[in-house]
Amino acid sequence: MRGASQPWGLSDSEALLLLFCYQSVPPGTAQQQLVRWTGTSPAHVSAQIDSLQRRGLVMGHRLPQDRRRQVWQVCPERTEQVRQLGCSLLQ
């Protein structure tokens, strides 16, 4: 993946998180799960997710059954762009 996400203005770790969020089934991917999948620290995932959220790529919400859990998903208006990113990384 090295460098393939640069035209999108994303670091490789941001692109990885974004693709994990894209692949998630509603209601989204729990932040704790993103930490496990990436093998990085909770602080690193939090900083990367904050960056993606500020750019309007992901949105988060809390589950009604467990308000402690934050889940993330790709913003609906960005799903096509993220799909294209995934395709470009596979080439």
Side-chain angles (χ1 to χ4, degrees), residues 8-82:
W8 298 83
L10 300 171
S11 68
D12 287 347
S13 60
E14 287 173 327
L16 184 63
L17 285 172
L18 189 58
L19 292 171
F20 280 141
C21 290
Y22 174 74
Q23 294 293 327
S24 70
V25 176
T29 304
Q31 192 154 328
Q32 297 154 334
Q33 187 66 42
L34 292 171
V35 168
R36 281 193 293 276
W37 287 343
T38 60
T40 58
S41 71
H44 180 76
V45 168
S46 181
Q48 298 294 301
I49 286 290
D50 285 347
S51 174
L52 294 171
Q53 186 178 30
R54 280 192 308 275
R55 290 187 260 175
L57 295 167
V58 297
M59 59 186 196
H61 62 278
R62 302 215 179 258
L63 298 175
Q65 64 270 28
D66 186 354
R67 303 280 304 152
R68 297 169 295 175
R69 291 186 67 201
Q70 180 84 9
V71 295
W72 298 95
Q73 62 190 82
V74 172
C75 292
E77 63 273 12
R78 298 298 193 129
T79 55
E80 180 58 25
Q81 287 176 298
V82 175

